Amino acid sequence: MLKNSIVPLTGSSKKHPTYRGVRRRGNSGKWVSEIREPKSPNRIWLGTFPTAEMAAVAYDVAALALKGGDAQLNLPNVVSSLPVPVSTACRDIQAAATSAASALGAAMDAMKSCNSGGVTAEPPEIWITDEFMDEDLIFNMPNMINSMAEGMLLSPPRFDLISEESATGNAFDYGLWNYT
């Protein structure tokens, strides 16, 4: 699964010991990600992120876009859920990388919320009370039944057959309820 984002850094190196393309920014505790374009000295800046995992996912999106299946990934288990950039243009890669990192951050926040007891699997208290609930009022039953009855009283739409007789004006009325 995901590794702990608080990793002791050895010596003066700020590179993450596990993730490629990820390094710590100063004393702020934030993580940055960037990747080199293949066969070029240019780098694509992917962004600054609160966790190393988010930066690693951003790197993976860019690596897949630039290197394809030959890319060495940080989190190979999440490849199927990563967004694919529209093109290999720098802006498209940055947008897809940011999107993937944001999605991972939201998922991590949701997991924290579940684990801390913020989310429960039980129904709200209002559903399990022993008090009387007027279901007729909730579903507006009197009006709904009247509406259904009015719908039954409406005549069905006309079913007109187009034939030579109808074109000349001598056609019989072949409606659905006409049995003559």
Side-chain angles (χ1 to χ4, degrees), residues 160-179:
D160 293 329
L161 295 175
I162 298 178
S163 63
E164 286 184 25
E165 292 88 13
S166 65
T168 60
N170 297 332
F172 293 102
D173 186 20
Y174 292 107
L176 184 61
W177 304 110
N178 187 2
Y179 297 108

Side-chain angles (χ1 to χ4, degrees), residues 24-119:
R24 190 173 199 152
R25 172 173 264 183
N27 294 330
S28 68
K30 295 190 177 188
W31 297 88
V32 298
S33 182
E34 60 187 358
I35 189 169
R36 274 194 196 277
E37 292 178 358
K39 301 177 185 176
S40 169
N42 299 333
R43 294 180 186 191
I44 298 176
W45 179 256
L46 301 173
T48 303
F49 306 98
T51 65
E53 289 81 11
M54 292 171 70
V57 166
Y59 176 88
D60 286 354
V61 169
L64 284 171
L66 295 172
K67 301 174 184 174
D70 296 335
Q72 292 181 346
L73 303 176
N74 294 315
L75 303 168
N77 296 337
V78 297
V79 169
S80 61
S81 64
L82 295 178
V84 178
V86 177
S87 71
T88 56
C90 183
R91 287 185 179 179
D92 292 334
I93 291 173
Q94 288 170 332
T98 303
S99 172
S102 298
L104 180 66
M108 290 170 59
D109 289 345
M111 291 298 291
K112 285 179 192 174
S113 177
C114 286
N115 292 338
S116 67
V119 176

Side-chain angles (χ1 to χ4, degrees), residues 95-180:
T98 303
S99 172
S102 298
L104 180 66
M108 290 170 59
D109 289 345
M111 291 298 291
K112 285 179 192 174
S113 177
C114 286
N115 292 338
S116 67
V119 176
T120 62
E122 297 180 19
E125 228 178 274
I126 192 169
W127 290 2
I128 55 176
T129 60
D130 292 332
E131 296 178 19
F132 172 74
M133 288 180 29
D134 189 0
E135 292 171 354
D136 290 343
L137 182 63
I138 293 171
F139 295 113
N140 197 12
M141 288 302 278
N143 289 336
M144 187 171 93
I145 292 172
N146 288 340
S147 177
M148 290 171 54
E150 288 174 6
M152 296 294 291
L153 295 175
L154 294 174
S155 61
R158 301 294 265 158
F159 181 70
D160 293 329
L161 295 175
I162 298 178
S163 63
E164 286 184 25
E165 292 88 13
S166 65
T168 60
N170 297 332
F172 293 102
D173 186 20
Y174 292 107
L176 184 61
W177 304 110
N178 187 2
Y179 297 108
T180 57

